[in-house]
Amino acid sequence: MRIILAPMEGLVDAPIRETLTKVGGIDRCVTEFIRVTHSMLPPRVFYKFAPELHNHSLTRVGTPVAVQLLGSDPEQMGWHGNRAAELGATQVDINFGCPAKTVNKHKGGCVLMREPELMHNIVAAVRRAVPEGVPVTAKMRLGYDDRSMGVACAQALEAAGAEEIVIHARSKVDGYKPPAYWEEIAKAREAVKCKVIANGEIWTVADYWRCREVSGCEDVMIGRGLIARPDLALKIKASQQGEKVTDMTWPEAVALVREYAEVLQGWLEDKYVTGRIKQWLNFLRQGFPEAEAIWQDARKIREVAPMLACLEQVVPAKPKAPVQAA
């Protein structure tokens, strides 16, 4: 009953993986995709996206991190899968789920779901190139133009040697609009023998249990829900034991953002650090009313120190309406 932190391009980088896995409840992470084209990427590119390779592919608290590749050339993908393993990757994941127009335009991500045979060939090439002890996995959606390709593509990936398949419960055309079609994941899960992991629209503990019931999957992958509520995985794990944990407070969430910002400042210029903080804050609005209350002010800030000061503003609680006498 694992909980996996989803890869989110431009947001779920190594610093945020470190921050969220320290909170607890996350069993595995996946890197942002490494784009594979027509030439072998140098090791520094792998280390940029997956600095955990320097630590046996683990975050500092010991959470495993898979290296994700994106591309459409089976031979190049195989070579890069092998290079990732040589550099220390303990799992190689393949991206067939990205809906971004620029990615799909260059024949990467979800557009490949129009061609199950090519998906098969890519996974097969990576599986042949990667040492036997390193799992090869894949992430996909239910289809590109509609939700009709889930079963065919899952079967193609399994036949090629994928050990696990994450399925985002929408098509490319669906984007990220609710609802998530967990029942369509169930159809794909029933059509294959390998492990299928459900992904999409898990924001609360109740969503987690309903997703498991509808999809039939024991394991889930969560992206936006964990960014909005950093303690969601911890709360889910407690619920699996029939227990509850106290909700994370806004000051605790701000402490996480501050820690994240301090690490990012060692990597990026301040203007880019502020941009990443704004991305996270935008999601935190869905989990914390305090984040919503300061959003209009915070979005205008361009420097890190004023941004962090804004986050730490004390937002007074709204007074309760007086109780009317009977």
Side-chain angles (χ1 to χ4, degrees):
M1 297 187 288
R2 297 170 299 166
I3 299 170
I4 302 165
L5 175 60
M8 296 175 66
E9 186 187 8
L11 181 58
V12 181
D13 50 21
I16 211 167
R17 291 194 293 269
E18 292 289 348
T19 302
L20 294 179
T21 54
K22 279 178 64 177
V23 175
I26 297 172
D27 297 294
R28 190 173 80 207
C29 304
V30 183
T31 68
E32 300 167 272
F33 64 75
I34 298 173
R35 190 189 298 266
V36 174
T37 54
H38 304 295
S39 59
M40 178 59 69
L41 296 169
R44 60 179 171 79
V45 175
F46 290 86
Y47 292 133
K48 173 186 174 183
F49 286 92
E52 296 94 346
L53 289 170
H54 292 297
N55 187 42
H56 310 290
S57 288
L58 301 170
T59 66
R60 291 179 185 174
V61 297
T63 305
V65 179
V67 172
Q68 187 180 79
L69 304 178
L70 178 146
S72 59
D73 183 315
E75 186 175 49
Q76 286 286 344
M77 289 288 282
W79 288 341
H80 282 80
N82 182 62
R83 174 61 60 85
E86 288 177 345
L87 295 175
T90 54
Q91 177 185 343
V92 176
D93 190 65
I94 304 172
N95 184 320
F96 296 114
C98 181
K101 289 182 180 179
T102 53
V103 171
N104 294 164
K105 181 180 179 181
H106 293 91
K107 206 169 184 179
C110 193
V111 72
L112 294 172
M113 293 197 68
R114 288 174 167 172
E115 303 180 57
E117 184 177 353
L118 178 55
M119 292 173 68
H120 173 280
N121 293 343
I122 291 168
V123 172
V126 176
R127 180 63 280 172
R128 286 193 300 269
V130 170
E132 187 175 341
V134 176
V136 173
T137 59
K139 186 174 190 287
M140 61 178 235
R141 286 181 170 240
L142 293 169
Y144 185 85
D145 305 285
D146 54 38
R147 296 181 292 276
S148 65
M149 296 298 290
V151 169
C153 289
Q155 290 175 327
L157 297 178
E158 179 185 47
E163 295 190 28
E164 294 182 350
I165 303 169
V166 174
I167 303 180
H168 183 115
R170 298 180 176 93
S171 69
K172 187 273 181 191
V173 173
D174 292 327
Y176 293 95
K177 298 187 300 290
Y181 300 89
W182 296 324
E183 67 279 5
E184 297 297 327
I185 295 179
K187 294 177 183 178
R189 180 187 58 78
E190 291 165 0
V192 297
K193 294 180 180 178
C194 68
K195 175 75 73 173
V196 172
I197 299 164
N199 172 229
E201 215 63 22
I202 300 173
W203 298 93
T204 66
V205 174
D207 290 339
Y208 163 78
W209 287 108
R210 194 162 66 87
C211 175
R212 283 195 55 182
E213 179 182 359
V214 175
S215 69
C217 298
E218 291 185 350
D219 301 336
V220 301
M221 174 178 279
I222 306 176
R224 295 174 298 158
L226 266 170
I227 304 300
R229 287 293 322 192
D231 59 342
L232 178 57
L234 201 60
K235 293 167 67 175
I236 290 172
K237 284 298 176 73
S239 76
Q240 292 173 350
Q241 304 300 319
E243 302 170 354
K244 290 185 177 181
V245 293
T246 304
D247 287 347
M248 177 177 285
T249 66
W250 177 242
E252 289 171 334
V254 170
L256 294 180
V257 177
R258 176 174 285 280
E259 177 183 322
Y260 174 59
E262 288 173 355
V263 176
L264 280 183
Q265 284 181 297
W267 285 25
L268 304 170
E269 294 179 36
D270 268 18
K271 61 181 179 179
Y272 298 117
V273 175
T274 307
R276 294 251 170 160
I277 294 172
K278 288 179 186 178
Q279 286 187 76
W280 194 356
L281 180 61
N282 192 28
F283 282 104
L284 289 171
R285 294 165 63 197
Q286 300 180 60
F288 296 88
E290 297 92 338
E292 178 64 35
I294 64 172
W295 173 245
Q296 293 304 323
D297 290 332
R299 65 188 299 185
K300 302 171 188 175
I301 298 173
R302 297 186 178 183
E303 297 179 356
V304 175
M307 171 65 75
L308 295 177
C310 180
L311 296 180
E312 291 172 350
Q313 290 178 8
V314 177
V315 181
K318 293 182 179 180
K320 294 182 179 180
V323 178
Q324 298 293 326

